[in-house]
Amino acid sequence: MRKLTLATIAENPDDFSTRFELATGEQLILRPLIPGDVEKLARFLADLSPESRRLSTFSSYDRATARELCDAIARYDKLRFAVVEQTAPDEPIVGLLEFSFDLTAGDILRYTKHNSPLNPATDCRFGPTLADEWQNRGIGSLLLPPLFAVARRFGRTRIILWGGVLADNARAIRYYAKNGFVHVGNFRNDEGLACCDMIVTLDNVQATPP
Ligand SMILES: CC(C)(COP(=O)(O)OP(=O)(O)OC[C@H]1O[C@@H](n2cnc3c(N)ncnc32)[C@H](O)[C@@H]1OP(=O)(O)O)[C@@H](O)C(=O)NCCC(=O)NCCS
């Protein structure tokens, strides 16, 4: 299969969408973020609780960041997916799943120190954020197989956590571990907070194409 590009996804977002019907009857769609998402994304960010903002940081939680993320579609190295609740009025965004296909010098140095060197050509970064009311319902896990499949189609074989995970984020650490991520080391982030680095090898996990 030919290697995927950000432009291909931006031009054909429907081809990279996955629908989920939950036992509750609610329907979600995982689809690439699109330029018209600014208002919905701004609402999603604004509605994040202080605790979710502590665990998953954005430069702001408003329209400015929503616009910045939508403007970045198919530019630079980022690929973002939105989770849309189709069975709710106005079909809000209830999750944002982010890939970066560019590792930072900091990532490379940290993993070298962990004795687990990265390969910038075949490793990428990933960060998930769900709306508060959608956390801890198994949704994050449901979303991973199609996301893993997309990473593979970009020629990636491993995924690390974007900025690591805060060491006190027990739920996220459990979530990553149960989905195949392994702990490779600890570090302190720029704010001096204790964090863990975790990595998943895609050959070891289920990846279901959208
Ligand atoms: C992290 C996140 C994406 C995970 O998605 P999710 O849908 O909530 O995860 P799941 O429900 O699939 O799995 C959560 C697991 O953690 C467990 N869990 C919940 N609270 C926990 C706690 N305090 N300590 C340990 N485990 C906990 C759940 O029981 C479940 O494990 P189980 O299936 O073995 O019972 C989501 O919770 C989220 O967006 N959190 C806020 C932002 C965030 O932390 N992002 C990650 C930044 S690195």
Side-chain angles (χ1 to χ4, degrees), residues 91-190:
E91 303 193 5
I93 287 180
V94 297
L96 181 66
L97 295 307
E98 306 184 274
F99 282 110
S100 163
F101 295 111
D102 198 19
L103 303 178
T104 68
D107 296 326
I108 291 167
L109 184 64
R110 276 199 328 272
Y111 275 77
T112 301
K113 284 186 186 158
H114 299 325
N115 274 325
S116 183
L118 295 175
N119 180 345
T122 51
D123 296 335
C124 64
R125 296 184 282 162
F126 172 68
T129 310
L130 298 181
D132 284 73
E133 60 275 23
W134 285 92
Q135 295 170 14
N136 218 20
R137 289 182 55 184
I139 306 302
S141 299
L142 212 56
L143 302 172
L144 283 179
L147 291 168
F148 285 162
V150 167
R152 278 179 182 231
R153 291 194 57 194
F154 273 86
R156 304 296 150 151
T157 57
R158 300 189 303 179
I159 302 176
I160 66 167
L161 303 184
W162 193 320
V165 54
L166 287 176
D168 69 358
N169 191 350
R171 181 182 53 219
I173 290 172
R174 165 71 192 140
Y175 159 71
Y176 293 124
K178 80 169 173 169
N179 286 296
F181 285 79
V182 295
H183 176 269
V184 289
N186 300 322
F187 68 102
R188 288 201 176 267
N189 68 12
D190 291 345

Side-chain angles (χ1 to χ4, degrees), residues 37-50:
D37 276 335
V38 176
E39 298 309 330
K40 284 186 186 187
L41 189 58
R43 166 59 45 207
F44 165 76
L45 292 169
D47 284 349
L48 287 174
S49 67

